[in-house]
Amino acid sequence: MWFDSWFDLLRIVLVGTAAYAALVVVLRVSGKRTLGQLNAFDFVVTVSLGSTLATILLSSDVSLTEGLTTLALLAGLQFLVASLSAHWPRTRTALTSRPALLLIEGRIQHDELRRNRLTESELRQAVRSQGIGDLAQVKAVVLETSGKLSVIPESQYGNGSALKGVGGPEAG
């Protein structure tokens, strides 16, 4: 199955070009958040858009119109979910997790690590990746809703207002 036909290749080039151009337009219209990966839902949409584009390119069973409708639907649903979560806090709480405080003032919060299925080794790796060799120099480590670990060194803590809304002991 090295080669089927020139028509199949031409279809991929033509449909792929049109689908790619449409995806660029959909992403520009839907805004930066669509690919922002601020939380799990943003990540799912990003993966879904890529999967949809691949299906449009490779499956002759899916028409260009069906594929473009799917891309627009995914972006529209993402816009709707983002709008609902921005305007209604209860919706945001239902759709996204709260950031979790994993370390405060150099002390590891083992209950939060277990609750979020992380290891002490992963926490220490995040601290090291910021060029910090001593946990005592770290004021806080936060597991963000995106799954990223934010490390806040003692020297950058300020008044701690960035920790407002973070779950865990002694959080703001």
Side-chain angles (χ1 to χ4, degrees), residues 9-88:
L9 295 179
L10 181 62
R11 181 199 166 278
I12 289 172
V13 169
L14 295 177
V15 170
T17 302
Y20 179 79
L23 180 59
V24 169
V25 170
V26 166
L27 292 175
R28 292 289 295 153
V29 169
S30 64
K32 295 175 186 163
R33 166 129 191 188
T34 302
L35 294 179
Q37 295 184 14
L38 301 174
N39 59 51
F41 291 98
D42 298 325
F43 177 71
V44 167
V45 169
T46 301
V47 171
S48 297
L49 288 170
S51 177
T52 300
L53 181 61
T55 300
I56 294 168
L57 288 170
L58 299 175
S59 176
S60 58
D61 295 335
V62 176
S63 73
L64 178 61
T65 305
E66 291 170 331
L68 298 181
T69 302
T70 303
L71 292 174
L73 175 66
L74 288 170
L77 289 173
Q78 174 61 10
F79 180 83
L80 177 65
V81 168
S83 295
L84 289 174
S85 66
H87 291 93
W88 289 301

Side-chain angles (χ1 to χ4, degrees), residues 1-10 12 58 60:
M1 196 54 112
W2 292 96
F3 181 79
D4 285 332
S5 72
W6 287 107
F7 177 77
D8 290 342
L9 295 179
L10 181 62
I12 289 172
L58 299 175
S60 58

Side-chain angles (χ1 to χ4, degrees), residues 87-167:
H87 291 93
W88 289 301
R90 287 182 190 225
T91 304
R92 181 175 38 253
T93 302
L95 294 175
T96 62
S97 61
R98 247 179 113 180
L101 190 61
L102 304 178
L103 181 137
I104 187 73
E105 295 179 356
R107 293 186 320 271
I108 296 173
Q109 306 301 306
H110 293 282
D111 289 344
E112 286 296 318
L113 280 177
R114 274 191 298 283
R115 189 174 296 117
N116 290 284
R117 297 177 310 281
L118 290 169
T119 66
E120 195 173 309
S121 175
E122 292 167 319
L123 176 75
R124 290 179 187 277
Q125 178 184 355
V127 171
R128 288 190 308 270
S129 73
Q130 296 300 306
I132 301 171
D134 184 355
L135 292 182
Q137 295 176 344
V138 178
K139 185 70 172 188
V141 175
V142 177
L143 174 62
E144 303 293 354
T145 60
S146 65
K148 181 183 181 297
L149 293 175
S150 295
V151 178
I152 304 170
E154 185 78 43
S155 63
Q156 298 292 312
Y157 184 72
N159 67 4
S161 60
L163 293 180
K164 183 179 180 187
V166 175

